[in-house]
Amino acid sequence: MKSLYTIRTMKQIINKEIVLLAIVCIVSVFSTGCSSTRARVESIAKEHAESFASGEMEEINQIIFGMPELHEETEFVEMQGSDIISEKGMLSIIFSHSTIVVEKVTEDSVKLKISAPDMSELLFYLRKAPANFKIGLTDYVNAYVNKAEMKENRVSVSYTVEKEAIIIDYFNEEFINAVTGGLLEAYKEAYIDEVEQYREEAMEW
């Protein structure tokens, strides 16, 4: 007959094993859930990458802004000009020459490698060739893009899960600047230059 001490010891071992097994099961379920979510996020992000590469602005606008078209009264359209965001406009041309690779998905973000034609000097050349800007902007940009060197950036975009729906936030300055080959930053610098020039002229009056 086993001693009371031996029985107690066996019970303690069994209890520890049960607790350990329960912990393993919980961790396993949690990990499986996380893996499943990350796999879905990766799949969606890859679909979005294909949409950007297609240059289809309705799809891209839907992904970034949540609407297929930007209305004329929106600040973005007023700043960029309707031709730039149109289906055959400047952004469409740039996006169609860009590639987005999903490198990693974490618990709250997607790591992307973006290759895009370097557009950081585009506005400088457009200013030097105003005729091209007014008469054939699309043709000029297309030619510029074909000759431009590729620029590579790694950026992160956040995502959330809301009622099983996965929402990846591309309305991110770093992402937009990377996927447009630095064009966003160039616009900002040009805007600052214009403001400074206006201020200097105003002071001379």
Side-chain angles (χ1 to χ4, degrees):
M1 186 175 181
K2 295 181 178 178
S3 67
L4 184 60
Y5 174 78
T6 304
I7 293 173
R8 285 179 178 174
T9 302
M10 290 178 65
K11 284 184 176 180
Q12 288 175 352
I13 293 172
I14 291 171
N15 288 339
K16 286 180 180 179
E17 290 179 348
I18 290 173
V19 171
L20 181 61
L21 181 61
I23 292 172
V24 170
C25 288
I26 291 170
V27 172
S28 177
V29 170
F30 180 76
S31 298
T32 301
C34 288
S35 297
S36 175
T37 299
R38 291 182 187 184
R40 288 172 57 206
V41 172
E42 182 175 359
S43 177
I44 292 170
K46 286 181 177 178
E47 289 178 7
H48 291 166
E50 291 177 3
S51 295
F52 275 98
S54 73
E56 293 292 334
M57 289 309 299
E58 284 193 2
E59 292 182 24
I60 294 169
N61 286 335
Q62 184 68 49
I63 291 169
I64 298 177
F65 304 105
M67 60 183 75
E69 293 183 4
L70 298 184
H71 301 295
E72 293 295 332
E73 66 270 16
T74 63
E75 182 179 348
F76 187 83
V77 175
E78 289 174 357
M79 181 178 70
Q80 309 296 352
S82 58
D83 183 55
I84 290 177
I85 65 162
S86 67
E87 188 174 346
K88 295 182 180 180
M90 184 187 295
L91 294 183
S92 176
I93 295 169
I94 299 170
F95 291 149
S96 64
H97 286 76
S98 304
T99 59
I100 301 174
V101 177
V102 180
E103 292 194 314
K104 184 179 181 181
V105 178
T106 68
E107 62 181 13
D108 59 2
S109 66
V110 183
K111 312 291 185 184
L112 305 169
K113 181 174 74 172
I114 301 173
S115 297
D118 187 350
M119 308 300 289
S120 58
E121 298 293 325
L122 175 64
L123 298 183
F124 171 76
Y125 287 106
L126 285 176
R127 285 173 175 175
K128 289 178 63 177
N132 286 325
F133 183 82
K134 293 177 180 178
I135 299 170
L137 172 62
T138 301
D139 292 338
Y140 183 88
V141 172
N142 204 23
Y144 185 94
V145 166
N146 287 326
K147 294 179 181 179
E149 293 184 4
M150 297 301 288
K151 193 174 185 178
E152 188 174 289
N153 288 282
R154 282 179 166 80
V155 302
S156 295
V157 292
S158 61
Y159 73 86
T160 56
V161 182
E162 300 178 7
K163 296 181 180 179
E164 298 301 315
I166 293 171
I167 302 171
I168 303 176
D169 183 12
Y170 294 100
F171 196 62
N172 172 307
E173 185 173 322
E174 187 181 15
F175 170 79
I176 294 176
N177 190 57
V179 81
T180 58
L183 186 60
L184 178 61
E185 192 65 30
Y187 264 110
K188 287 172 62 178
E189 291 176 1
Y191 177 77
I192 292 172
D193 289 343
E194 290 291 337
V195 171
E196 288 297 324
Q197 184 178 347
Y198 175 80
R199 184 178 299 169
E200 290 174 3
E201 290 175 355
M203 290 177 66
E204 290 177 359
W205 294 345

